[in-house]
Every structure is written in structure tokens, then in C-alpha cells.
Amino acid sequence: MRARTVAAVLALAVLVSACGATAASTDTGSSVTLRVGATGWTQAQAALAVAGLDQTPYKVEWSVFSGGDKQLQALQAGALDVTETSEIPPIFAAAGGSPKFKVVAVQQANTLLQEVVVGPGSPITVIAQLKGRKVGYVQNTTAQYFLDKLLEQNGLHWSDITAAPLSPNDGVTALHSGAIDALASYGNSIITVHRDGGRTIGSGKDILSGNFPWEASTETIADPAKRQAAADLLARIDKAYAYIRDGHEQAFAQKTADATHQTLADALSQFHDGEAQRPSRLVPTSAAAIASQQAVADVFTDLKVLPRKIDTASFWTDEVNADLTKALG
């Protein structure tokens, strides 16, 4: 991972913020402000709004990033208080030096839209045909992990492809131009490829754990008011998804369609499919979740992309579990 100066990351956090709106507070005198990161778009913020749970007694500032690695860079630099990523970005953040964050909770969620895709008209139909091909992937993310596993399942190794690290947006552009033969990515980039006629040749849905850690800065954890606010926000997100599942899917699907430029029907189907696979839930940290991330870290160690073996337990904590359990009710 390239080192970045604190100033650069702080600037990044401001520039990539796609939603600087602050959730209305029921106590305008509150001194607590939570700066929260999100990938792609502020899905959790939208869920809170649909459920009417966005009126918090503290202020919330949401910022959107292109990936979990950027969120953790901002968290490390003090530009965020809490953020959600996949299991993988914290591993690389910890490998880069002393982490200034801890995993404080886990969002269990679906693993759909984690795919290897090809462009319209491509002769490639299965993963085995990627041998000797140029494949784009989002480095140090779930995309790299499930791409490696899919290659292994089909008798191939990482060295059998020409791997091209790209951002999700650049990957879509490269696929459309023919600069790469396939792309391993996630989220909005996969939606875009499908919308433009691309096809799925492999999926990470049965490879990935569905554990999405929520990280908080060590300063946030040490501050009782901020720690309790973070626990309250996470519990509200959990309750918001339960509310949406209880007959309010269309309102959330409309916000999803608006943010991701899908049809309402597609967004609604995507939500139903995702919740059917794994309902969105917020849970406290656990030994099982730590072990799951350790297994992922060991794969990256075997790929020789980590400078050393990482002990994932070193950046997890149960310090927020009591507050979260209480807030979950």
C-alpha cells in the first residue's frame, strides 16, 4: 500500500465526499459529531431516512469513498470517526504500520454484486478461459480475494492471468474499451457493466463471508460520548433494515435506484435477492468473526502481497459491545 501524507488523505476525505449533509439533530446543543464513511453511496444513511431513524441526538456527517482502503486512510488520518468496509481493507491498513482504529462491530450482509464480468460480445463464458488473459481487479479488496479463489477452483493460479489493478470506475472503462478481457469488481461497477450488456462469468457470493466490519478510530473508542453515539448509530442502522424488510422495501429501492441509476424494478429485485441470501444485521464483535478475517488475511499472505503475517485479532476490540448490545435492545 502506498504511503500517503496525512494532509493528502484529509484533502481526499473532503474531495470525495458526495454527501456533506448532516442528519438533523434533536439536540442542537450536542457537542458530538460523528464523521462516517461509506463506499459507493450512503446506503446506511438512506436506510435511516426511510425508517425515520435519522433524527439523532448527535450530528452525523457522511462522506463517500470509492473503496474501503480510502476510508481507512481517512480514518488513520483522523478525518473519519467510524466507517464500514469489507474484511480486507483493515488487513492492509494494519500491515502498513500501527493502526489507529479497531473493528467495533460487524454488519452481516449479502455478498451479491461481487463478480467477474466480461463485456458484451466477449467469447469468454467461464473462469477457466481467463488463462493467458488480462483481467482487471480492485486491488486489496474482496475482488482480489474472490478472483484468486475462483481461479483456484478452476485449476488456475494467479500467475496464469495478467492481473491489472484498477479502481472500479477505471475497470469499467477498461472493459468497455477492450483494454482488459474481464473485470473482478463489486457494487455500482457491476451494475454498470450489466446495464451496458456485460455478462457474469464468476461470482464471489458463495466465497465471501458476508462479514463487513465497522471500524472506529482509537480516539472515538476512548471518548465515552462518541463511543455511545457510534453504538447508537449502528443500532439504528440495524433497526432501519428490519423496518425496511417489514413492508417498506419499495421506498428504499427507490432511493437505491436514484443513487445507482437503476430502474426501480431492478433495485427492488436486488434488495429482495440480497435480503433472501443474508439479511442485513449489526452484531457485536466475536471470536468467529475474527477467525473469518484471519483466514482471509492468510490468503493474502500466501499471495505474497502482505509484508508479513497479520494477526487480525490485534485490531479488534469488544470495548463497544456492551454499548451496542444495549442500543440494539
Side-chain angles (χ1 to χ4, degrees):
M1 182 183 300
R2 292 188 178 89
R4 291 174 181 257
T5 65
V6 169
V9 174
L10 287 170
L12 172 69
V14 174
L15 288 173
V16 302
S17 176
C19 182
T22 301
S25 173
T26 57
D27 177 9
T28 56
S30 173
S31 61
V32 175
T33 297
L34 284 182
R35 300 163 299 168
V36 185
T39 298
W41 68 288
T42 49
Q43 182 174 333
Q45 184 187 27
L48 291 170
V50 169
L53 293 171
D54 56 338
Q55 305 298 304
T56 57
Y58 43 85
K59 297 177 181 177
V60 183
E61 295 176 350
W62 298 87
S63 293
V64 176
F65 296 78
S66 62
D69 57 336
K70 304 296 190 299
Q71 289 164 243
L72 286 181
Q73 288 166 14
L75 195 66
Q76 286 279 82
L80 289 177
D81 297 306
V82 292
T83 196
E84 179 197 11
T85 68
S86 73
E87 291 178 303
I88 295 164
I91 295 168
F92 285 88
S98 299
K100 298 178 182 178
F101 66 87
K102 297 279 188 179
V103 176
V104 296
V106 175
Q107 184 156 357
Q108 297 173 337
N110 75 79
T111 52
L112 305 185
L113 294 180
Q114 303 265 357
E115 301 177 4
V116 181
V117 290
V118 295
S122 171
I124 301 172
T125 58
V126 293
I127 293 292
Q129 293 174 322
L130 293 180
K131 185 172 184 178
R133 303 279 191 165
K134 189 171 185 179
V135 183
Y137 70 101
V138 189
Q139 191 173 34
N140 302 347
T141 68
T142 53
Q144 185 171 4
Y145 179 74
F146 70 71
L147 175 59
D148 177 68
K149 287 293 187 181
L150 286 169
L151 292 172
E152 181 183 314
Q153 289 174 6
N154 286 272
L156 299 178
H157 300 285
W158 195 260
S159 57
D160 288 320
I161 64 171
T162 300
L166 296 166
S167 71
N169 288 342
D170 288 344
V172 172
T173 300
L175 189 65
H176 285 169
S177 70
I180 57 176
D181 298 297
L183 172 66
S185 190
Y186 45 75
N188 289 349
S189 58
I190 299 300
I191 292 171
T192 300
V193 171
H194 284 303
R195 188 182 64 217
D196 295 339
R199 293 178 290 103
T200 300
I201 62 167
S203 172
K205 69 183 180 67
D206 295 325
I207 294 172
L208 302 171
S209 70
N211 289 342
F212 293 87
W214 277 89
E215 301 90 4
S217 70
T218 51
E219 289 186 0
T220 297
I221 297 168
D223 182 327
K226 275 197 170 184
R227 185 177 66 245
Q228 290 174 18
D232 179 78
L233 181 66
L234 297 181
R236 285 170 182 262
I237 292 170
D238 180 75
K239 293 170 184 177
Y241 280 108
Y243 174 87
I244 292 166
R245 285 192 295 269
D246 188 25
H248 302 91
E249 296 92 339
Q250 183 146 338
F252 183 68
Q254 185 61 66
K255 286 187 175 292
T256 302
D258 293 342
T260 59
H261 309 293
Q262 299 179 78
T263 66
L264 175 59
D266 284 345
L268 189 59
S269 176
Q270 179 186 314
F271 179 80
H272 283 151
D273 290 346
E275 292 298 304
Q277 188 213 25
R278 187 177 289 106
S280 297
R281 295 179 60 233
L282 259 295
V283 297
T285 58
S286 66
I290 295 171
S292 172
Q293 190 184 45
Q294 186 64 59
V296 174
D298 291 344
V299 169
F300 283 98
T301 300
D302 293 341
L303 285 172
K304 303 188 187 306
V305 294
L306 289 171
R308 56 187 171 82
K309 182 176 175 62
I310 301 299
D311 177 14
T312 58
S314 66
F315 52 84
W316 284 64
T317 184
D318 61 3
E319 292 175 84
V320 182
N321 282 6
D323 287 327
L324 179 59
T325 300
K326 181 180 177 180
L328 286 169

